[in-house]
Amino acid sequence: MEPEGTAASTAPSAPDEEAAAPAEAASTSSGPTTAITIIYGKNKQEVERPLNSTVGELKKIIAETTRIEPSGQKLLNKGVPLKDDDATLEKAGLGKPGTKLMLIGTPAPEVAATQKLAEVSAITPMEEDSKQSSEENLCKQTQHQKVLAKGKPEDALPGLKGRQVPLADEVKIIPGLLNSQGTKVRLTFKPELSELVIASAAHTQRVPYTSITKIEAYPIPDQEEYSVLAVRLGTGTYYLYWFPSQHVASLKIRILGVESLL
């Protein structure tokens, strides 16, 4: 009988060890974590993620609170964008304590609103824009001459031809412009959101810097101190009239970076 008692007392130990094994494996799969601060405008979000999780997975977590789709997110680590969504956080250099990432992007509802507004706005569709004659004579084209014929708005900033003048950092608004419908608009820079706001008395458009691919300027004949701007977007071109020529380079640097001048 004693041997039977011994066997009964030792038998349960095997299942206990087996049960412990999955828990140990689960712990290993999650691994060490890292705390990351996501900075979006004036908002901050603290996220704790496993080091072996990916940048793409981090973007999905961020999307839940910011409503910025992962594909529309641009994450900057000390000014350097994270380009590989498949990279682990450890490989991407996000394992250090106190890591901070700057988020650039537009929430999905605002993107949808911008697209809807574009349907009735002054944006020239890409296919229509491509039918125009030589860009070299843009200001002489009928559609642009009609707008220029309305004259320079009274509140337009003073223009200067033949030279470029830096736009002061404190200047956030450029008034006295016209869009391609001849409606008066003003530009407002939102660097904290990486957005350019184009507003008239009736409508407001928020254009993410990342959606602007190129900015071209065409001096107005006989009034070269002012230019027609062609702001190239993925869906077409937004034309702005009576922009001070001396600030074209500064505009490009603010939105596209200094490399846009190279």
Side-chain angles (χ1 to χ4, degrees):
M1 298 296 293
E2 185 175 346
E4 290 181 5
T6 305
S9 63
T10 57
S13 63
D16 288 344
E17 291 176 2
E18 291 176 2
E24 184 177 348
S27 174
T28 302
S29 64
S30 60
T33 62
T34 180
I36 302 172
T37 301
I38 309 299
I39 302 173
Y40 176 53
K42 297 180 180 180
N43 301 317
K44 292 184 179 181
Q45 177 184 357
E46 301 293 335
V47 178
E48 187 168 349
R49 298 289 298 159
L51 278 174
N52 59 6
S53 62
T54 66
V55 172
E57 292 169 341
L58 173 63
K59 287 185 175 181
K60 290 179 181 179
I61 297 296
I62 295 173
E64 293 176 2
T65 55
T66 64
R67 303 181 74 182
I68 301 175
E69 294 294 333
S71 60
Q73 294 179 26
K74 187 174 184 180
L75 292 175
L76 304 178
N77 183 16
K78 297 180 180 179
V80 180
L82 302 180
K83 297 182 179 180
D84 186 1
D85 284 356
D86 295 326
T88 64
L89 301 186
E90 184 173 24
K91 184 178 179 181
L94 307 180
K96 296 180 180 180
T99 295
K100 295 181 180 179
L101 295 179
M102 179 175 289
L103 169 64
I104 297 175
T106 303
E110 290 188 20
V111 172
T114 298
Q115 292 174 342
K116 185 175 181 180
L117 182 58
E119 296 175 3
V120 294
S121 74
I123 294 181
T124 303
M126 189 67 75
E127 59 272 17
E128 192 175 314
D129 195 42
S130 64
K131 295 178 183 177
Q132 294 181 349
S133 56
S134 172
E135 293 283 19
E136 191 175 317
N137 301 315
L138 183 142
C139 292
K140 296 181 180 180
Q141 295 171 10
T142 302
Q143 72 173 89
H144 301 297
Q145 285 184 329
K146 287 181 178 179
V147 179
L148 292 173
K150 292 178 177 292
K152 176 170 61 70
E154 294 180 357
D155 57 342
L157 294 179
L160 182 66
K161 67 178 181 180
R163 57 182 296 191
Q164 288 298 301
V165 178
L167 198 57
D169 291 339
E170 60 269 20
V171 176
K172 305 296 183 184
I173 298 175
I174 298 182
L177 305 173
L178 297 179
N179 63 22
S180 60
Q181 295 176 338
T183 302
K184 192 163 75 169
V185 296
R186 68 177 185 180
L187 297 185
T188 302
F189 299 97
K190 296 284 187 180
E192 70 278 7
L193 299 177
S194 291
E195 286 183 345
L196 181 66
V197 179
I198 306 175
S200 67
H203 298 291
T204 298
Q205 285 185 265
R206 297 180 179 276
V207 183
Y209 287 175
T210 53
S211 69
I212 299 175
T213 59
K214 192 175 184 180
I215 297 175
E216 297 172 315
Y218 303 90
I220 298 173
D222 300 323
Q223 297 187 73
E224 286 83 4
E225 63 270 27
Y226 292 97
S227 296
V228 176
L229 289 185
V231 181
R232 308 294 185 185
L233 307 172
T235 55
T237 302
Y238 200 112
Y239 288 103
L240 293 167
Y241 304 77
W242 303 104
F243 186 89
S245 296
Q246 73 272 20
H247 295 318
V248 169
S250 290
L251 177 71
K252 292 181 178 181
I253 292 173
R254 280 195 182 187
I255 296 175
L256 301 174
V258 68
E259 60 271 16
S260 64
L261 302 180
L262 302 178

